[in-house]
Amino acid sequence: MTTERSLVLVKPDGHARGLTGEVLRRIEAKGYTLVALEVRVPEVEMLHRHYAEHEGKPFFEPLVEFMSSGPVTAAVIEGERCIEGFRALAGATDPTAAAPGSIRGDLGRDWGEKVQKNIVHGSDSPESAAREIDIWFPGL
């Protein structure tokens, strides 16, 4: 087994709906450790670095605009295979297609074309996790 770290974001829609505590509860219930936690409204420049691989795609600017529209809860979690585990816990990107029992399946809403309003983000690989953690929690 490999102990990993991952970045988890409770996006502005989840924060506005008061779901941060429920998301953190599920992370801890899964057995992962919270290593760092902060609430902030991210700056556009930070989001451009975070979502750099999507620059030029049609959803890039609307995603940056949404993610900078209000408070985001940023967390670094740690645990055995937590990257894969949190992504399973989060569920499919589209809340309507997400399985019951997942964060998005239980708590997500159908926003139509605005799939970025899906409550949470989780790193998708160890490389992405390292890069994202460095953006949100430099020096951690």
Side-chain angles (χ1 to χ4, degrees):
M1 289 294 191
T2 304
T3 300
E4 300 173 321
R5 285 187 172 179
S6 182
L7 180 75
V8 172
L9 303 176
V10 179
K11 295 180 176 184
D13 58 323
H15 189 88
R17 291 179 53 208
L19 298 174
T20 298
E22 176 62 15
V23 171
L24 296 176
R25 184 196 69 74
R26 289 179 185 219
I27 289 168
E28 290 185 317
K30 184 80 173 169
Y32 303 135
T33 302
L34 294 171
V35 175
L37 184 66
E38 181 176 272
V39 176
R40 71 167 94 161
V41 178
E43 295 177 8
V44 169
E45 185 273 330
M46 171 191 267
L47 294 168
H48 275 258
R49 286 188 292 136
H50 179 91
Y51 291 112
E53 70 271 16
H54 300 303
E55 196 161 357
K57 296 177 182 172
F59 62 84
F60 178 75
E61 287 302 329
L63 176 60
V64 169
E65 183 179 324
F66 164 64
M67 289 296 293
S68 63
S69 69
V72 170
T73 302
V76 176
I77 65 170
E78 185 175 80
E80 299 295 326
R81 297 174 59 202
C82 72
I83 294 169
E84 177 185 2
F86 178 76
R87 290 180 66 81
L89 187 64
T93 304
D94 179 351
T96 301
S102 69
I103 292 168
R104 293 174 179 144
D106 291 350
L107 307 173
R109 293 183 176 168
D110 185 354
W111 296 99
E113 296 291 319
K114 300 189 181 224
V115 175
Q116 67 260 25
K117 291 186 177 181
N118 61 5
I119 304 173
V120 292
H121 162 85
S123 303
D124 65 2
S125 69
E127 297 77 21
S128 291
R131 184 182 65 78
E132 292 172 357
I133 290 168
D134 190 52
I135 291 168
W136 290 81
F137 295 95
L140 183 63

